[in-house]
Amino acid sequence: LSFPEVVGFVRLLKALASRGDVRGNDCSVLDTRRRRLKARFLDRLAEMLPAARVSSPMGRRYSNFIASFQIPGIDNREVVEMLWREHLVFSSYIARTDQIRFAFGQRTSAEDVDYAAEAVREICHFQDESQEAPALKPSALLEALPVYQCRRS
C-alpha cells in the first residue's frame, strides 16, 4: 500500500470507531448493521417483486453488504440506468450475469434501503397498458403481477 492509502485507511477506521461501528479490530457492529440493511432490502424486494432472482442471499457464505439480483424478462441494465436517472439511486449492472447489484455502506440508512426498493418496484411496474410504459419490456410473469399506480412526491 502507498502512504496515501494507509493514511486514508487509518482515517476511515478512526471515523468508524468514533461512530461505534468498529471497536479495536472488532468490526461485528458494522457487520451486523450492514447485514440488517441487506436483509431489509431483500425482504422488500421479495415483497414487491417476487419474480426477482437473488444471487447473493443472506448467509455467512455471501457478502454482508452486497445484494445482487436479476429481474427476469426485464432489461436489467436499463433498470440500473433508470434508477440513477429518475431516482438518483446508485446501483451497478453486471453485464456478464445480467444482474443488478446494490452495496450498503456505513452511511446507508434504512430509509435509503426502502427508497431504493420502492424505486426498483416503480420502474418494474406501471399502472396500465394505456399509460406510457418505460423503455423496459416486461415478461409475461411480470405482466401477471399486481399493477401499482406510481406517484412521485
Side-chain angles (χ1 to χ4, degrees):
L1 293 175
S2 69
F3 182 70
E5 290 171 320
V6 172
V7 170
F9 184 69
V10 169
R11 286 185 180 166
L12 171 66
L13 287 177
K14 286 181 179 180
L16 291 172
S18 71
R19 291 182 40 180
D21 287 336
V22 174
R23 295 182 186 114
N25 289 333
D26 181 9
C27 297
S28 61
V29 172
L30 180 61
D31 180 68
T32 299
R33 188 176 165 290
R34 286 174 147 186
R35 283 189 189 281
R36 286 184 182 147
L37 291 170
K38 179 180 176 179
R40 183 182 188 106
F41 180 80
L42 293 178
D43 287 347
R44 301 292 184 282
L45 187 66
E47 291 167 12
M48 297 177 181
L49 291 168
R53 295 182 188 151
V54 176
S55 60
S56 60
M58 296 304 299
R60 293 279 176 204
R61 183 175 161 209
Y62 299 95
S63 168
N64 62 348
F65 66 96
I66 294 175
S68 299
F69 61 96
Q70 179 186 64
I71 305 167
I74 293 287
D75 183 343
N76 289 284
R77 183 181 54 78
E78 182 70 13
V79 171
V80 169
E81 289 176 10
M82 291 177 76
L83 283 167
W84 178 249
R85 192 172 55 239
E86 297 180 12
H87 301 276
L88 294 179
V89 171
F90 182 76
S91 58
S92 301
Y93 175 70
I94 304 170
R96 185 172 52 92
T97 55
D98 186 39
Q99 293 190 1
I100 299 167
R101 177 181 181 236
F102 279 89
F104 309 102
Q106 71 261 17
R107 293 188 178 179
T108 306
S109 69
E111 293 78 19
D112 295 333
V113 169
D114 293 343
Y115 181 80
E118 177 60 27
V120 171
R121 185 207 58 82
E122 183 177 317
I123 289 169
C124 294
H125 288 92
F126 44 91
Q127 187 175 359
D128 59 37
E129 292 177 25
S130 65
Q131 185 178 20
E132 185 177 312
L136 305 175
K137 297 178 180 135
S139 68
L141 178 60
L142 285 176
E143 288 173 353
L145 291 173
V147 200
Y148 302 93
Q149 181 172 357
C150 300
R151 291 191 174 107
R152 289 200 173 101
S153 50

